[in-house]
Short mmCIF file of all heavy atoms in Angstrom, two decimals:
data_model
loop_
_atom_site.label_atom_id
_atom_site.label_comp_id
_atom_site.label_asym_id
_atom_site.label_seq_id
_atom_site.Cartn_x
_atom_site.Cartn_y
_atom_site.Cartn_z
N SER A 1 -0.65 -19.64 -0.01
CA SER A 1 -0.73 -20.21 1.31
C SER A 1 0.70 -20.03 1.98
O SER A 1 0.71 -19.87 3.26
CB SER A 1 -1.39 -21.53 1.38
OG SER A 1 -0.42 -22.53 0.68
N PHE A 2 1.73 -20.05 1.16
CA PHE A 2 3.04 -20.07 1.81
C PHE A 2 3.80 -18.73 1.83
O PHE A 2 4.82 -18.52 2.31
CB PHE A 2 4.04 -21.02 1.05
CG PHE A 2 4.09 -20.82 -0.38
CD1 PHE A 2 4.91 -19.88 -1.03
CD2 PHE A 2 3.20 -21.51 -1.30
CE1 PHE A 2 5.03 -19.56 -2.29
CE2 PHE A 2 3.33 -21.22 -2.61
CZ PHE A 2 4.09 -20.31 -3.16
N VAL A 3 3.02 -17.65 1.49
CA VAL A 3 3.44 -16.38 1.58
C VAL A 3 2.82 -15.40 2.55
O VAL A 3 1.53 -15.55 2.79
CB VAL A 3 3.25 -15.59 0.11
CG1 VAL A 3 3.66 -14.15 0.15
CG2 VAL A 3 4.25 -16.32 -0.95
N ASP A 4 3.74 -14.70 3.28
CA ASP A 4 3.14 -13.75 4.26
C ASP A 4 2.91 -12.47 3.40
O ASP A 4 3.96 -11.75 3.14
CB ASP A 4 4.11 -13.60 5.36
CG ASP A 4 3.58 -12.59 6.51
OD1 ASP A 4 2.64 -11.88 6.19
OD2 ASP A 4 4.21 -12.69 7.57
N ALA A 5 1.72 -12.04 3.21
CA ALA A 5 1.50 -10.89 2.35
C ALA A 5 1.90 -9.56 2.98
O ALA A 5 2.15 -8.54 2.35
CB ALA A 5 -0.03 -10.78 2.06
N LYS A 6 2.12 -9.59 4.31
CA LYS A 6 2.73 -8.35 5.00
C LYS A 6 4.22 -8.27 5.05
O LYS A 6 4.78 -7.25 5.50
CB LYS A 6 2.10 -8.46 6.41
CG LYS A 6 0.54 -8.34 6.53
CD LYS A 6 0.12 -8.33 7.99
CE LYS A 6 -1.32 -8.18 8.02
NZ LYS A 6 -1.74 -8.05 9.44
N ARG A 7 4.83 -9.23 4.34
CA ARG A 7 6.33 -9.27 4.35
C ARG A 7 6.77 -9.48 2.99
O ARG A 7 7.54 -10.37 2.71
CB ARG A 7 6.88 -10.30 5.26
CG ARG A 7 6.65 -9.99 6.79
CD ARG A 7 7.56 -11.05 7.67
NE ARG A 7 7.01 -12.37 7.48
CZ ARG A 7 7.66 -13.58 7.91
NH1 ARG A 7 9.02 -13.39 8.33
NH2 ARG A 7 7.23 -14.77 7.81
N ILE A 8 6.38 -8.59 2.00
CA ILE A 8 6.92 -8.56 0.72
C ILE A 8 7.83 -7.24 0.48
O ILE A 8 7.32 -6.18 0.66
CB ILE A 8 5.67 -8.62 -0.26
CG1 ILE A 8 4.88 -9.93 -0.13
CG2 ILE A 8 6.20 -8.46 -1.72
CD1 ILE A 8 3.65 -9.93 -1.10
N GLY A 9 8.95 -7.50 0.08
CA GLY A 9 9.86 -6.36 -0.19
C GLY A 9 10.36 -6.36 -1.61
O GLY A 9 10.25 -7.47 -2.32
N VAL A 10 10.79 -5.15 -2.14
CA VAL A 10 11.23 -5.16 -3.47
C VAL A 10 12.53 -4.56 -3.64
O VAL A 10 12.92 -3.71 -2.86
CB VAL A 10 10.12 -4.24 -4.27
CG1 VAL A 10 10.03 -2.83 -3.74
CG2 VAL A 10 10.55 -4.19 -5.77
N PHE A 11 13.31 -4.94 -4.54
CA PHE A 11 14.76 -4.47 -4.97
C PHE A 11 14.77 -4.33 -6.38
O PHE A 11 14.35 -4.97 -7.20
CB PHE A 11 15.79 -5.50 -4.47
CG PHE A 11 17.03 -5.27 -5.35
CD1 PHE A 11 17.86 -4.30 -5.10
CD2 PHE A 11 17.39 -6.28 -6.29
CE1 PHE A 11 19.09 -4.05 -5.93
CE2 PHE A 11 18.48 -6.10 -6.97
CZ PHE A 11 19.32 -5.06 -6.83
N GLY A 12 15.41 -3.12 -6.85
CA GLY A 12 15.74 -2.90 -8.24
C GLY A 12 16.91 -1.95 -8.45
O GLY A 12 17.17 -1.07 -7.47
N TRP A 13 17.54 -2.00 -9.53
CA TRP A 13 18.72 -1.27 -9.86
C TRP A 13 18.42 -0.53 -11.15
O TRP A 13 17.95 -1.06 -12.14
CB TRP A 13 19.92 -2.13 -10.00
CG TRP A 13 21.29 -1.45 -10.01
CD1 TRP A 13 21.70 -0.44 -10.82
CD2 TRP A 13 22.41 -2.02 -9.23
NE1 TRP A 13 23.10 -0.28 -10.42
CE2 TRP A 13 23.53 -1.13 -9.56
CE3 TRP A 13 22.59 -3.02 -8.47
CZ2 TRP A 13 24.76 -1.30 -9.01
CZ3 TRP A 13 23.90 -3.11 -7.76
CH2 TRP A 13 24.88 -2.21 -8.01
N SER A 14 18.83 0.72 -11.18
CA SER A 14 18.70 1.53 -12.51
C SER A 14 17.16 1.75 -12.84
O SER A 14 16.46 2.30 -11.99
CB SER A 14 19.40 0.89 -13.68
OG SER A 14 19.46 1.91 -14.69
N TYR A 15 16.65 1.18 -13.93
CA TYR A 15 15.15 1.22 -14.13
C TYR A 15 14.55 0.51 -12.93
O TYR A 15 13.42 0.90 -12.58
CB TYR A 15 14.91 0.52 -15.44
CG TYR A 15 13.54 1.03 -15.99
CD1 TYR A 15 13.32 1.94 -17.01
CD2 TYR A 15 12.31 0.53 -15.43
CE1 TYR A 15 12.12 2.29 -17.53
CE2 TYR A 15 11.02 0.88 -15.99
CZ TYR A 15 10.95 1.80 -17.04
OH TYR A 15 9.71 2.26 -17.56
N GLY A 16 15.11 -0.61 -12.60
CA GLY A 16 14.57 -1.24 -11.42
C GLY A 16 14.51 -0.40 -10.09
O GLY A 16 13.60 -0.60 -9.28
N GLY A 17 15.43 0.45 -10.02
CA GLY A 17 15.43 1.37 -8.85
C GLY A 17 14.35 2.40 -8.90
O GLY A 17 13.70 2.64 -8.00
N PHE A 18 14.08 2.88 -10.23
CA PHE A 18 12.93 3.70 -10.44
C PHE A 18 11.58 2.97 -10.16
O PHE A 18 10.69 3.43 -9.40
CB PHE A 18 12.88 4.05 -11.92
CG PHE A 18 11.64 4.58 -12.53
CD1 PHE A 18 11.11 5.76 -12.18
CD2 PHE A 18 10.86 3.69 -13.42
CE1 PHE A 18 9.82 6.14 -12.72
CE2 PHE A 18 9.59 4.16 -13.82
CZ PHE A 18 9.17 5.37 -13.56
N MET A 19 11.62 1.66 -10.59
CA MET A 19 10.37 0.82 -10.26
C MET A 19 10.11 0.62 -8.75
O MET A 19 9.02 0.70 -8.23
CB MET A 19 10.49 -0.55 -10.96
CG MET A 19 10.32 -0.47 -12.46
SD MET A 19 8.64 -0.18 -12.91
CE MET A 19 7.89 -1.68 -12.36
N THR A 20 11.24 0.37 -7.99
CA THR A 20 11.12 0.32 -6.47
C THR A 20 10.49 1.57 -5.93
O THR A 20 9.57 1.43 -5.21
CB THR A 20 12.50 0.11 -6.00
OG1 THR A 20 13.01 -1.15 -6.40
CG2 THR A 20 12.45 0.10 -4.46
N LEU A 21 10.87 2.72 -6.33
CA LEU A 21 10.33 3.95 -5.77
C LEU A 21 8.88 4.05 -6.21
O LEU A 21 8.10 4.55 -5.38
CB LEU A 21 11.21 5.00 -6.26
CG LEU A 21 12.73 5.10 -5.87
CD1 LEU A 21 13.40 6.30 -6.27
CD2 LEU A 21 12.73 5.19 -4.20
N ARG A 22 8.54 3.73 -7.42
CA ARG A 22 7.20 4.03 -7.87
C ARG A 22 6.31 2.98 -7.12
O ARG A 22 5.11 3.25 -6.81
CB ARG A 22 7.17 3.76 -9.45
CG ARG A 22 7.66 4.82 -10.23
CD ARG A 22 6.77 6.15 -10.15
NE ARG A 22 5.68 5.94 -11.06
CZ ARG A 22 4.35 5.86 -10.57
NH1 ARG A 22 4.03 5.83 -9.34
NH2 ARG A 22 3.37 5.79 -11.43
N LEU A 23 6.79 1.72 -6.94
CA LEU A 23 5.98 0.84 -6.34
C LEU A 23 5.65 1.15 -4.75
O LEU A 23 4.57 1.06 -4.30
CB LEU A 23 6.68 -0.60 -6.35
CG LEU A 23 6.58 -1.35 -7.69
CD1 LEU A 23 7.56 -2.49 -7.80
CD2 LEU A 23 5.14 -1.95 -7.90
N LEU A 24 6.72 1.54 -4.17
CA LEU A 24 6.60 1.98 -2.72
C LEU A 24 5.69 3.18 -2.74
O LEU A 24 4.86 3.35 -1.77
CB LEU A 24 7.96 2.34 -2.19
CG LEU A 24 8.78 1.16 -1.88
CD1 LEU A 24 10.07 1.57 -1.32
CD2 LEU A 24 8.17 0.01 -1.06
N SER A 25 5.75 4.17 -3.64
CA SER A 25 4.90 5.34 -3.56
C SER A 25 3.55 5.08 -3.87
O SER A 25 2.67 5.76 -3.32
CB SER A 25 5.53 6.30 -4.62
OG SER A 25 6.79 6.84 -4.36
N GLN A 26 3.27 4.08 -4.70
CA GLN A 26 1.88 3.72 -5.02
C GLN A 26 1.32 2.61 -4.27
O GLN A 26 0.07 2.65 -3.99
CB GLN A 26 1.79 3.35 -6.45
CG GLN A 26 0.35 3.03 -7.04
CD GLN A 26 0.43 2.93 -8.54
OE1 GLN A 26 1.16 3.56 -9.25
NE2 GLN A 26 -0.46 2.01 -9.10
N ALA A 27 2.13 1.76 -3.56
CA ALA A 27 1.58 0.65 -2.91
C ALA A 27 2.27 0.37 -1.56
O ALA A 27 2.63 -0.89 -1.35
CB ALA A 27 1.43 -0.53 -3.78
N SER A 28 2.59 1.21 -0.72
CA SER A 28 3.27 1.03 0.56
C SER A 28 2.34 0.10 1.37
O SER A 28 2.81 -0.55 2.42
CB SER A 28 3.63 2.20 1.21
OG SER A 28 4.81 2.76 0.75
N ASP A 29 1.10 0.06 1.07
CA ASP A 29 0.21 -0.75 1.98
C ASP A 29 0.34 -2.19 1.61
O ASP A 29 -0.11 -3.17 2.27
CB ASP A 29 -1.20 -0.32 1.73
CG ASP A 29 -1.74 -0.35 0.27
OD1 ASP A 29 -0.89 -0.22 -0.65
OD2 ASP A 29 -2.87 -0.65 -0.12
N LYS A 30 0.93 -2.50 0.33
CA LYS A 30 1.09 -3.84 -0.14
C LYS A 30 2.65 -4.28 -0.02
O LYS A 30 2.80 -5.54 -0.05
CB LYS A 30 0.51 -4.05 -1.51
CG LYS A 30 -0.89 -3.81 -1.66
CD LYS A 30 -1.30 -3.95 -3.09
CE LYS A 30 -2.86 -3.72 -3.31
NZ LYS A 30 -3.25 -2.40 -3.08
N ILE A 31 3.45 -3.36 -0.13
CA ILE A 31 4.90 -3.66 -0.10
C ILE A 31 5.48 -3.01 1.11
O ILE A 31 5.56 -1.93 1.34
CB ILE A 31 5.64 -3.11 -1.40
CG1 ILE A 31 4.86 -3.67 -2.59
CG2 ILE A 31 7.01 -3.51 -1.41
CD1 ILE A 31 5.37 -3.09 -3.99
N ALA A 32 6.20 -3.99 1.93
CA ALA A 32 6.57 -3.62 3.28
C ALA A 32 7.92 -2.86 3.30
O ALA A 32 8.15 -2.04 4.28
CB ALA A 32 6.74 -4.94 4.06
N MET A 33 8.70 -2.89 2.23
CA MET A 33 9.98 -2.21 2.14
C MET A 33 10.62 -2.36 0.84
O MET A 33 10.18 -3.04 -0.05
CB MET A 33 10.89 -2.86 3.20
CG MET A 33 11.13 -4.36 2.88
SD MET A 33 12.95 -4.99 3.04
CE MET A 33 13.58 -4.26 1.54
N GLY A 34 11.62 -1.46 0.54
CA GLY A 34 12.25 -1.48 -0.78
C GLY A 34 13.63 -1.11 -0.72
O GLY A 34 14.12 -0.22 0.11
N VAL A 35 14.47 -1.53 -1.66
CA VAL A 35 15.77 -0.99 -1.79
C VAL A 35 15.99 -0.58 -3.27
O VAL A 35 15.73 -1.39 -4.23
CB VAL A 35 16.89 -2.20 -1.64
CG1 VAL A 35 18.32 -1.62 -1.89
CG2 VAL A 35 16.78 -2.70 -0.24
N SER A 36 16.44 0.66 -3.44
CA SER A 36 16.52 1.35 -4.83
C SER A 36 17.96 1.71 -5.04
O SER A 36 18.43 2.44 -4.29
CB SER A 36 15.56 2.57 -4.87
OG SER A 36 15.74 3.19 -6.10
N VAL A 37 18.56 1.14 -6.08
CA VAL A 37 20.01 1.49 -6.45
C VAL A 37 19.95 2.19 -7.75
O VAL A 37 19.32 1.69 -8.75
CB VAL A 37 20.81 0.09 -6.51
CG1 VAL A 37 22.27 0.50 -6.74
CG2 VAL A 37 20.57 -0.75 -5.23
N ALA A 38 20.75 3.33 -7.79
CA ALA A 38 20.99 4.11 -8.94
C ALA A 38 19.71 4.36 -9.78
O ALA A 38 19.66 4.09 -10.91
CB ALA A 38 22.02 3.50 -9.88
N PRO A 39 18.65 4.99 -9.11
CA PRO A 39 17.37 5.05 -9.71
C PRO A 39 17.20 6.32 -10.57
O PRO A 39 17.84 7.43 -10.33
CB PRO A 39 16.41 5.11 -8.58
CG PRO A 39 17.15 5.81 -7.49
CD PRO A 39 18.55 5.43 -7.74
N VAL A 40 16.49 6.32 -11.68
CA VAL A 40 16.03 7.52 -12.41
C VAL A 40 14.77 7.93 -11.51
O VAL A 40 13.96 7.17 -11.24
CB VAL A 40 15.58 7.12 -13.81
CG1 VAL A 40 14.94 8.40 -14.47
CG2 VAL A 40 16.76 6.67 -14.65
N THR A 41 14.88 9.22 -11.17
CA THR A 41 13.78 9.69 -10.36
C THR A 41 12.90 10.64 -11.24
O THR A 41 11.75 10.98 -10.83
CB THR A 41 14.30 10.40 -9.12
OG1 THR A 41 15.22 11.51 -9.41
CG2 THR A 41 14.96 9.42 -8.28
#
C-alpha cells in the first residue's frame, strides 16, 4: 500500500549492470527507469 508501482527504478553494477539492462528490456512496463554501471552485455 505504501509503494507507487509506477515509480520503481533499478540500479546495478557489473553483473548488476547486466541485470538492470535485462530487467528493463524484459519489463519496462513494470520498471520505470534504470542505471547500469559497467555491465556485461
Side-chain angles (χ1 to χ4, degrees):
S1 61
F2 54 86
V3 168
D4 184 345
K6 295 182 179 180
R7 290 191 292 163
I8 297 176
V10 60
F11 153 72
W13 195 312
S14 194
Y15 200 104
F18 161 73
M19 286 290 291
T20 294
L21 296 175
R22 286 289 282 113
L23 283 163
L24 291 182
S25 297
Q26 186 166 324
S28 278
D29 58 329
K30 297 180 177 68
I31 302 176
M33 52 136 296
V35 179
S36 174
V37 184
V40 174
T41 57

